[in-house]
Amino acid sequence: MAGGAREVLTLQLGHFAGFVGAHWWNQQDAALGRATDSKEPPGELCPDVLYRTGRTLHGQETYTPRLILMDLKGSLSSLKEEGGLYRDKQLDAAIAWQGKLTTHKEELYPKNPYLQDFLSAEGVLSSDGVWRVKSIPNGKGSSPLPTATTPKPLIPTEASIRVWSDFLRVHLHPRSICMIQKYNHDGEAGRLEAFGQGESVLKEPKYQEELEDRLHFYVEECDYLQGFQILCDLHDGFSGVGAKAAELLQDEYSGRGIITWGLLPGPYHRGAQRNIYRLLNTAFGLVHLTAHSSLVCPLSLGGSLGLRPEPPVSFPYLHYDATLPFHCSAILATALDTVTVPYRLCSSPVSMVHLADMLSFCGKKVVTAGAIIPFPLAPGQSLPDSLMQFGGATPWTPLSACGEPSGTRCFAQSVVLRGIDRACHTSQLTPGTPPPSALHACTTGEEILAQYLQQQQPGVMSSSHLLLTPCRVAPPYPHLFSSCSPPGMVLDGSPKGAAVESIPVFGALCSSSSLHQTLEALARDLTKLDLRRWASFMDAGVEHDDVAELLQELQSLAQCYQGGDSLVD
């Protein structure tokens, strides 16, 4: 890979993971499209960490995500399983049978108008049946940005989004999509609902071999593979798929980093059975993923992992609908795009293994995430001015369904602040003016951020990164920003007709004592269950002894975070 990039292979497991992943890859694609803009800061993030170069059968260069995703039958809508980039008649020629054929065709889903518009901008299907991709600038990224003569792309509406592929702007490699045909995405029958069902999927030779083949394909072309990031649904049977996938990775690629992001949609109102299943799947998923991953981080806009309903989290400068996966996944993808910065840097990257080691000492392999989206920097303000507004409170909104972080103890943290113009990093005080705070006396943005973290969490092991590169939120990212200028500056009033294209974000991963309470509460909820009422979950491959062992593991994991539930020992 160019520049000796430390490659990462991404696994997306589940439908909500698909939503988060679609936003994530759209944001990477938008950043690639901006790489040649002279107004942009120099490349701080290395796209080769996540992307791979390749060629179609017709010699056209491609640049596609290094990605394996698994989802259920009926989840792709109009997207083809082999993707659209390598479309070729030779695929059809693979059928060698010369006898009588009977063709059974499933009803085709209508293509989302947004995707029709996107594909017409990206390439054309020529008369010989070959997909011709339009020119790729510098051999990478999407087609050139729309000009005055190019019609602007359609923006998908919430009503038009049924599945994640309805708003995915990125072409995928034919080896990316792996469909689990034995379970259905739609309807009430044949659903992948339980952890045991998910585990059994990757015990079947067919699916295990398919996953291993795809892993080998991507891994063997890497020069400096640093590890794997798994985006995995926790609330349904994909928690079992993720657990088996992490176990397989640990067995076959020991020494590589495995960072798992356990994803849960917004608050649930789907009846008792769905909520009980969600509880069981989340508990089994967390424990098993922790056993086989370097680091595990739950990601959710919900207020709790347990049965007791809690309102979703709120953001001062965001207006979102917690019932829409399209909205929730966009916010989580933005946080993910920020907290993963350390192992995607061009210069002096922190490896996945090193990041996990820093955060997970003494068995604390589960961490929480938080973010300020967008970071509130008003016109005329400096970074010290903005940070001082938070006072002594923990600034970020919690994103791991572990409750408010205020009053909890942080053991270690990795913090990223991105998208602040260099001119705003330090305070521009008139000579002779005494600095209002110690932060205003600092001479660099990096020093300000480190000083701020030291003030907030004295004596805590902290890693911090300050980037000029903002987070991309151009369409199809939903309109969530109520009072931001196009570059993401927070304003008193909403600018008329101005679309926000990028924002500054402050994100953090934290090993926190809040996990002690969260994991113990999860164990308490499980002990209250009468498992005889949920025989269908147990019939999917889980024994009563497994539940007893699960409770022990949860309680042991909770004890790792007991070193003080407050900042005062």
Side-chain angles (χ1 to χ4, degrees), residues 69-136:
L69 71 85
M70 300 184 80
D71 211 335
L72 306 180
K73 181 181 179 181
S75 64
L76 292 183
S77 188
S78 58
L79 178 65
K80 294 182 180 296
E81 188 172 342
E82 69 275 9
L85 198 57
Y86 290 71
R87 216 178 291 175
D88 193 275
K89 282 183 177 179
Q90 293 184 34
L91 293 174
D92 300 325
I95 303 174
W97 174 252
Q98 299 296 318
K100 184 178 179 182
L101 290 174
T102 304
T103 304
H104 299 273
K105 273 189 140 181
E106 289 191 9
E107 185 179 347
L108 294 176
Y109 288 95
K111 189 181 293 293
N112 187 301
Y114 167 73
L115 283 187
Q116 289 179 332
D117 183 73
F118 161 59
L119 289 173
S120 66
E122 290 290 309
V124 293
L125 187 64
S126 58
S127 57
D128 61 355
V130 176
W131 185 254
R132 304 293 185 190
V133 184
K134 290 186 179 178
S135 61
I136 299 175

Side-chain angles (χ1 to χ4, degrees), residues 29-339:
D29 187 65
L32 283 173
R34 289 287 188 175
T36 56
D37 191 333
S38 60
K39 296 179 182 178
E40 292 297 305
E44 296 171 303
L45 297 174
C46 178
D48 290 340
V49 171
L50 299 172
Y51 279 75
R52 61 178 295 281
T53 55
R55 287 190 180 276
T56 67
L57 294 171
H58 298 272
Q60 291 173 303
E61 187 175 347
T62 61
Y63 199 55
T64 52
R66 191 177 295 105
L67 167 70
I68 300 171
L69 71 85
M70 300 184 80
D71 211 335
L72 306 180
K73 181 181 179 181
S75 64
L76 292 183
S77 188
S78 58
L79 178 65
K80 294 182 180 296
E81 188 172 342
E82 69 275 9
L85 198 57
Y86 290 71
R87 216 178 291 175
D88 193 275
K89 282 183 177 179
Q90 293 184 34
L91 293 174
D92 300 325
I95 303 174
W97 174 252
Q98 299 296 318
K100 184 178 179 182
L101 290 174
T102 304
T103 304
H104 299 273
K105 273 189 140 181
E106 289 191 9
E107 185 179 347
L108 294 176
Y109 288 95
K111 189 181 293 293
N112 187 301
Y114 167 73
L115 283 187
Q116 289 179 332
D117 183 73
F118 161 59
L119 289 173
S120 66
E122 290 290 309
V124 293
L125 187 64
S126 58
S127 57
D128 61 355
V130 176
W131 185 254
R132 304 293 185 190
V133 184
K134 290 186 179 178
S135 61
I136 299 175
N138 296 332
K140 295 179 181 180
S142 55
S143 57
L145 295 171
T147 63
T149 58
T150 307
K152 289 185 177 181
L154 291 173
I155 298 173
T157 61
E158 281 78 358
S160 72
I161 302 297
R162 289 179 52 256
V163 294
W164 54 263
S165 58
D166 283 338
F167 63 94
L168 178 68
R169 276 190 61 90
V170 179
H171 288 296
L172 301 181
H173 189 273
R175 299 271 190 140
S176 281
I177 301 176
C178 177
M179 300 304 296
I180 301 174
Q181 299 289 349
K182 65 183 293 188
Y183 292 109
N184 298 320
H185 169 66
D186 292 313
E188 292 301 315
R191 304 294 295 268
L192 183 62
E193 294 183 306
F195 178 86
Q197 289 175 301
E199 270 199 320
S200 68
V201 165
L202 287 186
K203 288 178 181 177
E204 291 186 31
K206 172 187 174 182
Y207 293 111
Q208 183 178 342
E209 289 170 10
E210 194 165 353
L211 177 59
E212 287 177 341
D213 286 347
R214 291 164 193 262
L215 285 170
H216 293 156
F217 171 77
Y218 286 114
V219 169
E220 286 170 6
E221 65 181 13
C222 293
D223 293 325
Y224 307 102
L225 178 72
Q226 63 170 307
F228 307 86
Q229 57 180 12
I230 303 175
L231 280 63
C232 173
D233 287 0
L234 276 185
H235 61 288
D236 58 19
F238 273 101
S239 63
V241 177
K244 289 303 290 183
E247 183 181 353
L248 187 154
L249 293 176
Q250 187 186 46
D251 289 344
E252 289 209 23
Y253 304 100
S254 62
R256 309 293 186 185
I258 303 172
I259 296 183
T260 300
W261 310 96
L263 304 167
L264 297 112
Y268 263 64
H269 303 287
R270 293 189 171 185
Q273 178 170 324
R274 289 281 176 88
N275 279 331
I276 296 297
Y277 273 40
R278 178 181 60 84
L279 176 75
L280 287 162
N281 288 326
T282 300
F284 271 103
L286 273 178
V287 166
H288 285 257
L289 286 166
T290 300
H292 302 298
S293 303
S294 312
L295 200 68
V296 176
C297 180
L299 287 177
S300 174
L301 299 185
S304 166
L305 293 179
L307 287 177
R308 183 179 177 180
E310 298 284 350
V313 297
S314 60
F315 297 81
Y317 305 104
L318 287 184
H319 291 284
Y320 76 100
D321 185 341
T323 66
L324 292 179
F326 183 53
H327 283 191
C328 295
S329 57
I331 296 169
L332 294 179
T334 299
L336 194 62
D337 189 35
T338 300
V339 298

Side-chain angles (χ1 to χ4, degrees), residues 6 75 147 151 164 186 225 254 265 304 354 357 393 397 427 436-437 459 462 485 565:
R6 300 292 304 276
S75 64
T147 63
W164 54 263
D186 292 313
L225 178 72
S254 62
S304 166
H354 183 77
D357 285 346
T397 300
S427 180
S437 72
S462 295
S485 67
D565 284 326

